[in-house]
Amino acid sequence: MGLIWSLIVGAIIGAIAGAITNRGAAMGWIANIVAGLIGAWIGQGLLGTWGPSLAGMALIPSIIGAIILVLIVSLVVGRIGKK
């Protein structure tokens, strides 16, 4: 049950990051889950585990990490798409 809960929270974090950056419309649920989980790892690695926590993820650092990830990926994909 813990894995399912982590995937759900990861999807929500990824969806929030996509909505904040206005780059989430093209992302599907799989991309939201990946962005949320990797973003949680990045955010907690950079900022620590402060703030409210859900499914083992500190929400605020996780959302910030997912925003950073979405912005970096969209910049890279945008540059590749222009070539």
Side-chain angles (χ1 to χ4, degrees), residues 18-81:
I20 290 172
T21 59
N22 288 328
R23 289 175 168 84
M27 292 174 38
W29 280 103
I30 301 294
N32 280 338
I33 292 170
V34 171
L37 293 176
I38 295 174
W41 180 74
I42 291 170
Q44 290 180 45
L46 292 173
L47 303 171
T49 57
W50 53 274
S53 180
L54 193 58
M57 294 180 242
L59 296 179
I60 296 171
S62 297
I63 291 170
I64 293 170
I67 289 169
I68 292 169
L69 178 67
V70 168
L71 289 174
I72 290 172
V73 169
S74 66
L75 286 173
V76 170
V77 170
R79 289 183 186 215
I80 291 173

